[in-house]
Amino acid sequence: MSTSSSFSVTSVNSYSQALYELANENNSLDLIEQQVVAVIKLISQSEDFNTLIKDPTNKQQDQLLIMNLISKKFNFNDLFKKFLNFLIVKR
């Protein structure tokens, strides 16, 4: 396994663990799990959304704006919204 791939797996595991722990502490584990599943489903079903989040040429500000609009429209938990924004900033 390459170093960058290993780093990515480590980051994913760390971020996932952090979200789990924060959701658990805030008694919102079930809600955030449902919202995570909804975003994963959106990624798999929407080519436009998939491109938005994965294409490195998309501006971070555009991604944040759209993710905040989606978060507001679907009433995402504040913790989950902040987590998604963090992931965009750290990409």
Side-chain angles (χ1 to χ4, degrees), residues 16-63:
S16 298
Q17 183 67 34
L19 178 60
Y20 174 84
E21 289 174 7
L22 289 168
N24 196 35
E25 288 174 14
N26 288 293
N27 297 318
S28 55
L29 196 56
D30 290 337
L31 175 63
I32 289 180
E33 180 183 13
Q34 292 170 4
Q35 293 173 352
V36 167
V37 169
V39 169
I40 291 170
K41 188 175 181 180
L42 180 61
I43 291 168
S44 68
Q45 293 180 347
S46 171
E47 185 70 32
D48 290 337
F49 186 70
N50 196 1
T51 300
L52 171 77
I53 63 170
K54 292 184 179 180
D55 186 345
T57 63
N58 288 325
K59 294 180 182 171
Q60 187 180 78
Q61 284 305 102
D62 293 340
Q63 291 176 324

